[in-house]
RNA sequence: GGCGCCGUAGCCAAGCGGCUAAGGCAGCGGAUUGCAAAUCCGCCAUCCCCGGUUCAAAUCCGGGCGGCGCCUCCA
């Protein structure tokens, strides 16, 4: 039984989809007016992992992330750049998509754009006006929060508490907390014809329109950053539920926000990372936000592999805020190496790539009977620990811990059985190892990890380097055979200075950059 | 001011009333190695403070202290 923390109830609830077996999931995506920063990746990575885990658990999941491509910020930025809004939006959307790919976020079924859904937005707005929940005011249309009896139920605010003097520019509204569904166009602004004149959608309405169109009036999971609880999600609820007369989403899930650690910029002096890489995020401590500014995520990807950043994001619970710093990601990367080294080890021992293992795609199929096999008994135990953690509100931190336990157990097995020296007559041990590795692949896949080999730091002359390395290793092997350790160590040390590490293993010498 | 979150080892972090408080990074000791690297084994916390509830609390309640978020645009 999966349990989910619901912001609406502030408790963990058993996860039971509206329609048995089917899950509709909507995540608030970006407003595409600037290149994405790491904060934009948190939600997509987490909800991608959640979708994978739900699919793994046997659900048929439809996952939607919207792209808001018309809004005040877009209009301002495009004017700023002297570029049509559509062109700016297209460029920034492309940047966003590329970043998602790098993070292995590929479980999204729909990326609806606001500008492709203007008709639906107008229809929904008209419905709200017809039903008396919204009113027109000089070409604008506002939602009247006093008409929604439970307005504030998500964020715990009361309409009364939000009342304040109506200032000059919001005199068009009846109450200060009312928000725009439709905004009349000023000259030169992008606009669409509507019953209220030319204009464009307000900020919140596109999510109500698109989630309703694709997932239905009531769907299962609505996600987003904690900062969206108010006003964005509160207003979505007001719009959708007033228009449809039924709950918008059953579970509201909010991820913690990424914080830029104040040590950013100071780390790295010690070893490999240098000061130039120090300000991938804001130099300022505190939340990474638009107003504070932070570097483009694409630049970060030039320094860290996508999978390392993904693992970093998944190594803690999604509701917790995460402090970002380069050193933290480096540490996580060090931990990830343990897995990658095991994959290479597995390939040497088993003669097949870890990435070619056909793992079960559902937890049901992945279940196996360990019998009296001591290794498999432990594998099953760690697998269960992983499932228990994930079932408990998608505790990816606990889940990754189980993954570490699992590799360690597998490495220990390879050591004990001396599989690296020789596998002759060890078919049974190999079979057990394969089952263990397959389980690791199964669980990793459920989080969107270890999907495909990390790209080697590709250098054009790999053949040449490979040939030279073979030669050096051969020369060194001869030296070692002759107890000429001076020569052997000279070779290893010199390579070390070039950033190449030699590993003498039972089966021969290997190397890595 | 209103709403809310957090405080577990040097650092990150799981844990949500009851087994010896997961896991990662760093460090130390050992096995292995010609020496290393990798791997494995071991060591490294009574959970911010003070009260209370309970047979039993890191886990619940109250009060402090210390971080932080939202209330305006934000994933």
């Amino acid at each position: 039984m999966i349990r989910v923390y619901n912001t609406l109830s502030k408790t963990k609830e058993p996860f039971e989809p509206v329609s048995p077996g089917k899950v509709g999931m909507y995540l608030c995506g970006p407003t595409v007016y600037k290149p994405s920063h790491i904060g934009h990746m948190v939600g997509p990575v987490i909800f991608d992992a959640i979708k994978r885990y739900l699919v793994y658990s046997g659900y048929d999941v439809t996952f939607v992330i919207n792209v808001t491509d018309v809004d005040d910020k877009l209009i301002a930025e495009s004017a700023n750049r002297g570029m049509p809004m559509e062109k700016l939006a297209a460029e920034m959307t492309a940047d966003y998509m590329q970043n998602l790919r790098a993070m292995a976020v590929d479980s999204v079924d729909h990326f609806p754009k606001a500008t492709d859904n203007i008709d639906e937005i107008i229809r929904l707005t008209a419905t709200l006006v017809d039903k008396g929940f919204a009113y027109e005011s000089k070409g604008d249309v506002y939602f009247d929060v006093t008409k929604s009896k439970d307005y504030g139920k998500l964020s715990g605010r009361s309409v009364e508490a939000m009342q304040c003097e109506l200032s000059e520019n919001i005199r068009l509204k009846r109450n200060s907390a009312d928000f725009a569904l439709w905004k009349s166009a000023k000259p030169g602004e992008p606009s669409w014809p509507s019953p209220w004149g030319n204009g464009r959608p307000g900020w919140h309405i596109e999510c109500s329109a698109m989630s309703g169109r694709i997932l239905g009036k009531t769907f299962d999971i609505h996600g987003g950053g904690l900062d969206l609880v108010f006003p964005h999600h509160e207003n979505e609820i007001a719009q959708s539920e007033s228009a449809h007369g039924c709950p918008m989403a059953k579970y509201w899930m909010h991820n913690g926000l990424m914080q830029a650690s104040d040590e950013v910029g100071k780390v790295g002096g010690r070893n490999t990372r240098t000061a130039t890489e120090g300000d991938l995020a804001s130099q300022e401590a505190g939340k990474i936000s638009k107003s504070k500014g932070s570097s483009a995520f694409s630049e970060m990807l030039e320094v860290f592999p996508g999978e390392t950043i993904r693992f970093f994001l998944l190594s803690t619970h999604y509701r917790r805020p995460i402090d970002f710093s380069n050193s933290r990601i480096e540490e996580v990367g060090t931990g990830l190496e343990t897995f990658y080294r095991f994959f290479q080890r597995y390939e040497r021992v088993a003669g097949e790539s870890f990435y070619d293992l056909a793992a079960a795609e559902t937890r049901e199929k992945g279940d196996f009977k360990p019998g009296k096999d001591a290794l498999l008994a432990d594998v099953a135990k760690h697998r269960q620990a992983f499932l228990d953690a994930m079932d408990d509100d998608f505790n990816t931190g606990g889940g990754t811990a189980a993954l570490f336990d699992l590799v360690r157990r597998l490495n220990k097995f390879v050591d004990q059985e001396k599989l690296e020296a020789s596998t002759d007559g060890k078919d049974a041990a190999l079979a057990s190892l394969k089952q263990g590795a397959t389980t690791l692949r199964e669980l990793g896949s459920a989080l969107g990890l270890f999907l495909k080999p990390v790209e080697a730091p590709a250098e054009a002359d790999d053949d040449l380097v490979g040939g030279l390395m073979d030669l050096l290793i051969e020369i060194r092997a001869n030296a070692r055979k002759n107890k000429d350790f001076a020569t052997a160590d000279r070779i290893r040390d010199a390579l070390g200075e070039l950033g190449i590490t030699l590993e003498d293993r039972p089966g021969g010498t290997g190397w890595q950059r």
Side-chain angles (χ1 to χ4, degrees):
Chain A
M1 172 60 82
I2 295 174
R3 283 157 31 94
V4 176
Y5 182 86
N6 191 348
T7 307
L8 257 184
S9 65
K10 293 188 171 49
T11 56
K12 283 183 197 170
E13 302 174 8
F15 181 67
E16 285 161 1
V18 177
S19 311
K22 284 203 189 339
V23 177
M25 205 163 103
Y26 185 94
L27 176 68
C28 284
T31 298
V32 283
Y33 73 110
K34 274 186 175 175
S36 31
H37 61 250
I38 187 171
H40 291 113
M41 296 296 117
V42 178
V45 165
I46 284 158
F47 284 89
D48 174 77
I50 289 174
K51 166 165 178 182
R52 288 173 194 273
Y53 190 71
L54 288 173
V55 168
Y56 172 70
S57 298
Y59 293 101
D60 178 12
V61 185
T62 305
F63 181 20
V64 179
I65 298 183
N66 71 286
V67 172
T68 298
D69 59 349
V70 52
D71 137 297
D72 293 357
K73 296 190 293 296
L74 263 153
I75 292 169
E77 182 67 14
S78 63
N80 219 350
R81 298 190 182 203
M83 173 192 275
M85 187 182 80
E86 309 79 67
K87 186 161 181 281
L88 174 67
E91 277 181 20
M92 294 308 144
T93 303
D95 170 75
Y96 182 69
M97 295 300 170
Q98 196 175 336
N99 294 150
L100 292 188
R101 272 194 296 280
M103 298 304 285
V105 174
D106 54 19
S107 70
V108 184
D109 301 291
H110 302 280
F111 285 105
K113 290 182 198 163
T115 56
D116 287 340
N117 289 271
I118 299 293
D119 288 352
E120 184 67 32
I121 289 168
I122 290 173
R123 203 173 309 139
L124 183 59
T125 304
T127 300
L128 287 167
V129 172
D130 288 348
K131 291 194 173 184
F133 290 105
Y135 55 92
E136 190 203 341
S137 182
K138 296 196 173 160
D140 292 350
V141 179
Y142 294 97
F143 187 93
D144 185 340
V145 296
T146 62
K147 295 285 166 50
S148 169
K149 64 237 163 289
D150 50 9
Y151 187 78
K153 68 178 175 183
L154 182 70
S155 57
R157 287 157 213 265
S158 64
V159 173
E160 300 76 58
M162 283 183 282
Q163 290 298 356
C164 61
E165 293 287 306
L166 288 177
S167 65
E168 204 67 33
N169 55 345
I170 55 176
R171 196 155 291 158
L172 297 169
K173 299 199 268 185
R174 290 179 188 163
N175 312 288
S176 59
D178 290 353
F179 54 93
L181 302 176
W182 188 261
K183 296 183 174 186
S184 59
K186 297 190 188 74
E189 289 182 350
S191 67
W192 290 261
S194 82
W196 317 282
N198 284 165
R200 63 174 190 280
W203 173 31
H204 318 290
I205 192 72
E206 83 279 17
C207 285
S208 285
M210 298 188 290
S211 63
R213 201 203 82 213
I214 300 171
L215 297 173
K217 291 177 179 175
T218 299
F219 53 95
D220 301 289
I221 296 174
H222 190 128
L226 211 46
D227 53 346
L228 294 183
V229 174
F230 187 88
H232 188 53
H233 290 166
E234 194 69 71
N235 293 350
E236 281 186 47
I237 289 177
Q239 294 161 348
S240 292
E241 303 194 351
S242 297
H244 299 142
C246 60
M248 181 184 190
K250 193 166 177 190
Y251 305 96
W252 287 82
M253 298 177 64
H254 293 96
N255 58 269
L257 303 177
M258 174 74 61
Q259 325 251 134
S261 164
D262 58 0
E263 69 176 285
V264 172
K266 288 186 241 162
V267 298
R270 197 160 17 94
N271 43 38
T272 52
R273 305 296 168 194
T274 58
T276 52
E277 294 159 351
D279 44 18
L280 289 169
S282 167
Q283 293 279 352
E284 201 174 344
K287 189 179 77 168
I288 297 180
S289 66
K290 300 280 197 284
S291 50
K292 283 181 183 166
S294 48
S295 300
F297 185 70
S298 53
E299 288 170 27
M300 187 180 285
L301 283 172
E302 289 169 14
V303 184
F304 301 107
E307 183 155 72
T308 303
I309 300 173
R310 184 177 176 103
F311 196 76
F312 166 69
L313 295 177
L314 294 177
S315 63
T316 175
H317 188 91
Y318 76 89
R319 278 192 280 123
R320 244 180 117 102
I322 316 177
D323 279 340
F324 165 84
S325 76
N326 289 352
S327 55
R328 196 120 303 143
I329 296 195
E330 281 173 37
E331 285 174 15
V332 164
T334 306
L336 256 189
E337 295 287 331
T338 303
F339 291 96
Y340 298 151
R341 274 194 228 95
F342 172 76
F343 300 159
Q344 294 171 346
R345 199 178 193 199
Y346 179 76
E347 187 160 353
R348 291 197 298 276
V349 169
E352 63 179 339
S353 169
F354 171 84
Y355 294 99
D356 288 337
L357 288 171
E361 285 172 13
T362 63
R363 63 202 289 177
E364 206 178 352
K365 290 182 188 157
D367 209 9
F368 64 93
K369 298 275 176 294
K372 282 178 294 186
D373 190 311
L375 172 71
L376 294 186
D378 285 343
V379 169
K381 190 180 72 187
H382 293 133
R383 179 176 182 276
Q384 191 55 49
F386 175 91
L387 297 176
D388 289 345
M390 288 298 291
D391 282 349
D392 184 10
D393 196 28
F394 310 104
N395 182 355
T396 53
T400 52
L403 258 28
F404 273 106
D405 285 334
L406 187 49
V407 244
R408 192 186 326 102
R409 185 63 183 88
L410 261 20
N411 267 322
K412 184 175 179 176
F413 184 74
V414 174
D415 281 359
Q416 286 175 333
E417 301 293 320
K418 296 191 170 34
L419 292 176
E420 280 219 84
S422 161
T423 53
D424 292 347
K426 294 176 181 167
D427 291 352
L430 273 178
S432 294
L433 178 65
K434 179 168 181 167
Q435 172 64 258
T438 303
T439 300
L440 177 57
R441 180 155 171 73
E442 172 193 327
L443 303 182
S445 300
L447 287 181
L449 293 170
F450 317 139
L451 266 19
K452 58 182 185 208
V454 260
E455 288 172 35
E459 314 219 343
D461 54 357
D462 261 349
D463 284 350
L464 175 62
V465 173
L468 290 172
M469 284 306 301
D470 288 347
L471 177 63
L472 283 168
I473 287 172
E474 185 188 326
I475 291 171
R476 179 165 167 277
N478 281 326
R480 292 177 70 208
K481 201 185 294 173
N482 299 328
K483 305 264 190 236
D484 178 8
F485 295 122
T487 301
D489 292 347
R490 165 98 182 88
I491 291 173
R492 188 174 61 199
D493 293 346
L495 288 173
E497 282 170 28
L498 295 172
I500 292 175
T501 309
L502 290 186
E503 297 181 11
D504 295 327
R505 310 186 194 100
T509 297
W511 63 277
Q512 359 196 230
R513 274 188 247 253

